[in-house]
Amino acid sequence: AQSVSQHNHHVILSEAASLELGCNYSYGGTVNLFWYVQYPGQHLQLLLKYFSGDPLVKGIKGFEAEFIKSKFSFNLRKPSVQWSDTAEYFCAVNGGATNKLIFGTGTLLAVQP
Amino acid sequence: DAGITQSPRHKVTETGTPVTLRCHQTENHRYMYWYRQDPGHGLRLIHYSYGVKDTDKGEVSDGYSVSRSKTEDFLLTLESATSSQTSVYFCAISGQGRGKNTEAFFGQGTRLTVV
């Protein structure tokens, strides 16, 4: 069965600190992987995605993620966070003929100025 | 923003009543999804559709049904609303194939309160 695990539920960082959020997935076939962000009171927006090619993917706002197939992981990183990065971050995976899209439970990031 | 509209945006209903939420898209995308978002649970898939009249259950489908009679509309029905179904409901759409069309676009959400 398809599943996604996010290990960090709540992360608190100071501005300029580096960020890494973990994401592991379970799926037997070819997958597409995503990171979405949800700012307070808003809907989800795409940060970045991986479907093939270079396993290091760059997204918007300085975020990047690395797909490590052997570890079934797709961790999100940012070298220096800003207060405006305060939000909830969701990892997601889809695949298969019906394109079922599953999300992790999310990581709430609070960046202190 | 992708052309995706959820209605209503807010609703308060009584326990035991049926409720229908509507998701309407103007992007002609093949795939449509209904999620509920609750603190600590992230987004949980209720039902999804991979074509007109083609739907499947997600992780938390009990108490919910869906219909998709045309490409642009995906309806979510709570057959007999319960307080445990108080949540924020999001609709999402995505296209077919790899690359850009695989990303999902989300509606603004519907806040449903069951009293």
Side-chain angles (χ1 to χ4, degrees), chain A residues 2-3 9 30-32 34 36 38 41-46 49-52 88 90 92-106, chain B residues 1 30-31 33 35 37 40-45 48-50 56-59 90 92 94-95 97-109:
Chain A
Q2 201 173 330
S3 67
H9 299 294
T30 302
V31 295
N32 301 311
F34 308 86
Y36 283 84
Q38 186 178 32
Q42 297 187 23
H43 61 87
L44 274 72
Q45 303 169 43
L46 183 71
K49 63 187 177 187
Y50 172 83
F51 56 93
S52 67
E88 192 159 17
F90 294 92
V93 58
N94 78 350
T98 60
N99 216 41
K100 186 177 183 180
L101 179 63
I102 296 293
F103 285 80
T105 52
Chain B
D1 285 348
R30 177 179 178 182
Y31 302 99
Y33 309 84
Y35 297 90
Q37 185 175 24
H41 293 278
L43 271 81
R44 292 181 290 176
L45 182 64
Y48 66 108
S49 170
Y50 46 94
D56 204 352
K57 296 179 179 180
E59 309 159 272
F90 285 98
S94 72
R98 299 180 72 74
K100 182 176 175 59
N101 282 346
T102 61
E103 74 178 86
F105 299 93
F106 283 81
Q108 296 293 325

